[in-house]
Amino acid sequence: MSLTELLEVPALGERYAKLKRFFFIRESTYDVTSACQLSCDGCYYFEGDKYKVKDNRSPDAWRAFMQKEKERGINYVILAGAEPALVPKVVRACHDVVPFGTVASNGLKALDRDLRYRVHLSVWGDGTGDPKYRKYANGKPGPYCLPVQLKNYRNDDRVVFSYTFNNQNIDEVDEALRCVDGEGHRITFNVFSAPDRSTSQLQIRDTMARMREKMFWAIETYPRSVLYSYYNAVVHTSKHSLHSLFVCPYPRALQAAQMKGMGVSKTFRSYRADLTFTEEANCCVPDIDCSDCRHYAAGSVIVTSRLNLHVASEAQFRGWLDYVDTYLAVWVPGYERGQNLYRFDGKEPAPVLPLPQQAAAPAHRALPLVS
Amino acid sequence: MQEHKDVSVGLEDIKGLLFRAMQGSVTDVGHLRSALTAESRFQDAGIDSLDLVEFFVRLQERYKIAIPQEEYADLTSLDAVQRYVTMRLEVVARAEPA
């Protein structure tokens, strides 16, 4: 079927038209502080040397910086590292200029309710696993974050919980789903993606198939609460990384593969807390091993940008529509996703990249920073 | 002597496919119809990446050629697209028996 024919199928044409209105989003990512209460196993933020900068804590400086970002065309900001809620004045300064975006937080400290960013709250396991995977900065077992998050963000429609599956916590999601659903919140899934040179025991090894089954079960058991599609589950639990399947368009991955891109490849930047960036760290998760990347934020860009790889069959196109619909529901305040259009038919997506280019992007090097 | 096949591609045809791909997007298509020249860069004109990918898919289907995604970055204007499509069609024409 051609794209024209696919769009003539009413359900597909309507969904495509719905999604298409949101492709004006031009995002970048910003570390707003190097402080965090926790030291999580495999945390991307504290990998490498990139976080060793002197934080800029001046709201005025951030406001002026965001104005420049806006002039550069950025209309969506992702405030992610290390724990944005610890610098509320900086978050507010960003919001004053670019009020469209997402804050990624551990949820131990609440963000003011008048900040209308989407808020992604990370969940790593149940009451047994979470303190083990996410220790305090001093190395002691961390708190069980979920009850604190639910208390801090009760009846808060900005929130999407993000449960990171790892090699040890697949069945721990049951408790998280019950709690999140019970409070009327929504939850999406992430897959632990190892940083370069990681030796973490949480790295996915032989549990991908079971993880996929658990995701399918969650989609069917909690249809209101779970913001995830069958196609999301299929591509994020493939034996191939997202980069191998579709070719990551972030500058860091393209540079490593000696390829050129367009759109996000040209506009995306990943800034440190001192308002600087480097080309080779321009990626939503700059120290992740690309050959192991199944991260939800990466997928939101990688899969979404590859319409061309999803028009060879109706099943592929349905999968892509569901994926983009899910991405928008997770990242755009007020966006409501529709019914799943795709059902897994047993066909795994084939990787685009030949084996030599599946190698990881080079680790971040401490080069002079350019703002 | 081998007969030379005409593989010329009309700029208006290509432009038509671009605007078809842009239907339903947030870009101001009405303004672009008059403002977009053959040399205008798509990025400078504010055409979003989904519209461009859809445009490239429609080009593939219309002309029955393959456009690998690693070549998208070089297709920055109508003029560049016209030259690329013509080149692709010439390759196909040369490969076909006369």
Side-chain angles (χ1 to χ4, degrees), chain A residues 179-215:
Chain A
C179 294
V180 167
D181 183 66
E183 289 277 342
H185 278 298
R186 286 173 298 180
I187 187 166
T188 193
F189 299 135
N190 187 20
V191 176
F192 186 90
S193 304
D196 285 321
R197 302 173 299 278
S198 170
T199 56
S200 173
Q201 294 302 305
L202 304 186
Q203 185 167 359
I204 313 296
R205 290 180 178 82
D206 51 1
T207 52
M208 214 65 91
R210 201 155 65 80
M211 191 184 305
R212 180 183 292 182
E213 286 306 313
K214 180 62 93 172
M215 288 172 171

Side-chain angles (χ1 to χ4, degrees), chain A residues 191-193 203-212 231-246 289-294 344 346-353 355 358:
Chain A
V191 176
F192 186 90
S193 304
Q203 185 167 359
I204 313 296
R205 290 180 178 82
D206 51 1
T207 52
M208 214 65 91
R210 201 155 65 80
M211 191 184 305
R212 180 183 292 182
Y231 192 64
N232 283 69
V234 169
V235 298
H236 283 267
T237 59
S238 164
K239 66 179 178 182
H240 303 284
S241 74
L242 293 166
H243 183 45
S244 304
L245 286 175
F246 305 111
D289 176 352
C290 294
S291 66
D292 194 54
C293 181
R294 294 173 179 82
F344 183 51
K347 287 183 186 162
E348 298 283 342
V352 167
L353 284 182
L355 282 171
Q358 288 184 24

Side-chain angles (χ1 to χ4, degrees), chain A residues 26-44:
Chain A
R26 287 191 184 177
E27 82 271 22
S28 279
T29 300
Y30 308 85
D31 294 341
V32 287
T33 174
S34 53
C36 186
Q37 308 96 320
L38 303 175
S39 178
C40 307
D41 190 348
C43 172
Y44 319 118

Side-chain angles (χ1 to χ4, degrees), chain A residues 2-4 7 16 20-21 23-24 246-247 259-263 266-267 305-309 311 320 352, chain B residues 20-26 43 46-54 56-58 61 69-70 72-74:
Chain A
S2 68
L3 179 60
T4 304
L7 294 176
Y16 187 70
K20 203 165 179 180
R21 293 195 295 273
F23 274 78
F24 65 91
F246 305 111
V247 182
M259 296 167 106
K260 289 185 287 185
M262 59 176 209
K266 292 187 182 294
T267 56
S305 67
R306 300 308 189 196
L307 166 68
N308 55 305
L309 298 178
V311 291
W320 184 84
V352 167
Chain B
R20 184 154 182 213
M22 292 177 69
Q23 279 175 9
S25 79
V26 293
Q43 191 180 355
I47 299 171
D48 73 49
S49 55
L50 178 66
D51 289 343
L52 287 177
V53 176
E54 184 181 331
F56 299 145
V57 170
R58 288 184 181 278
E61 292 177 354
Q69 68 183 17
E70 57 267 29
Y72 289 178
D74 293 325

